Amino acid sequence: KELSFVLIGNDFKPINFERFPTYMTKFNLTSFELNLYANKVEAEGARLIAEGIKTQPHLKQLSIDLYFNNIGENGTKYICD
């Protein structure tokens, strides 16, 4: 299965991702694209996104755009781990 979200410039903040890890458990994905360009995800939001992605053991293709989200070094580590 494939899932793609393009949510550019929607002012999403970390609080908007609190349920993301639980939401992602409803899928069995092989491909996932998440474009959050120009939001306010920050490091905490990146951590929650990373937790959601980790629920997908069969994921073969992943594309994430977090440009202009102020995730910093910690957020980058969450995503890369």
Side-chain angles (χ1 to χ4, degrees), residues 13-26:
K13 298 176 177 99
I15 193 168
N16 301 113
F17 295 97
E18 287 181 348
R19 293 186 179 156
F20 186 78
T22 302
Y23 176 75
M24 289 295 287
T25 63
K26 299 174 190 253

Side-chain angles (χ1 to χ4, degrees), residues 1 28-32 53 56-62:
K1 289 184 181 180
N28 184 14
L29 301 176
T30 57
S31 178
F32 182 56
I53 291 167
Q56 300 301 309
H58 304 292
L59 200 60
K60 295 182 193 297
Q61 187 173 20
L62 176 64

Side-chain angles (χ1 to χ4, degrees), residues 3-10 12 32-37 39 65:
L3 184 61
S4 178
F5 291 109
V6 179
L7 303 164
I8 297 171
N10 285 293
F12 284 115
F32 182 56
E33 176 185 0
L34 181 61
N35 186 336
L36 290 166
Y37 176 86
N39 281 280
D65 185 343

